[in-house]
Amino acid sequence: MTPGSFSSSRPTSWPAVAKAIGRPDLLTDPRFSDPAKLTANMPQLTAILDEIFCAEPMAHWYEVFNGVHVTFGAVRGPQEVVNDPQLRANDIIVPLDGAGGKLTSTISSPFRCMASPKCPRSAPQRLENTT
């Protein structure tokens, strides 16, 4: 299963998550009944959530969380990120010329100057001064 991540930074997220995963009982569990206790008992909650999330494929969790206003997404591995079509279409992952071997792409600079187009740099040549 692909690991997932959800945001619980909003106080309303935890009740939505607990209900969406079919475990509203966790909301009244004394270990997780308020933010301080939830934080203090995070290892126990993580173990419970790991068991629940591993029981279903990622597609199931996308469907579950789609309509409950909880930020959720798959945690992607490096190769999945490099091959992501949306990141390539938005010039976030760009070709890296001259690196050699299996290194063919890099992350583009997040800075843009309106008057100058961004151009990905090629890899430095052996012993080339890059400063």
Side-chain angles (χ1 to χ4, degrees):
M1 178 182 146
T2 302
S5 174
F6 62 89
S7 171
S8 59
S9 59
R10 297 180 313 160
T12 56
S13 294
W14 169 233
V17 169
K19 291 173 185 172
I21 64 174
R23 291 294 307 269
D25 60 294
L26 294 174
L27 298 172
T28 57
D29 186 311
R31 298 172 296 173
F32 318 123
S33 60
D34 66 53
K37 290 178 183 178
L38 186 132
T39 300
N41 293 298
M42 192 56 71
Q44 295 92 330
L45 180 59
T46 299
I48 293 167
L49 294 177
D50 282 350
E51 185 176 331
I52 292 167
F53 289 135
C54 287
E56 300 288 344
M58 185 58 74
H60 170 79
W61 297 116
Y62 273 114
E63 187 176 319
V64 166
F65 288 115
N66 192 33
V68 294
H69 307 292
V70 173
T71 302
F72 175 81
V75 177
R76 303 287 182 198
Q79 198 59 46
E80 291 173 297
V81 171
V82 168
N83 293 325
D84 185 286
Q86 185 173 1
L87 294 179
R88 288 189 175 273
N90 288 301
D91 291 327
I92 296 169
I93 302 292
V94 294
L96 179 63
D97 297 326
K102 294 183 179 181
L103 186 58
T104 60
S105 301
T106 189
I107 298 171
S108 181
S109 169
F111 300 105
R112 293 182 187 260
C113 296
M114 293 175 70
S116 302
K118 285 176 39 173
C119 299
R121 292 191 55 179
S122 62
Q125 300 299 314
R126 186 169 183 223
L127 302 176
E128 179 181 2
N129 184 354
T130 59
T131 57

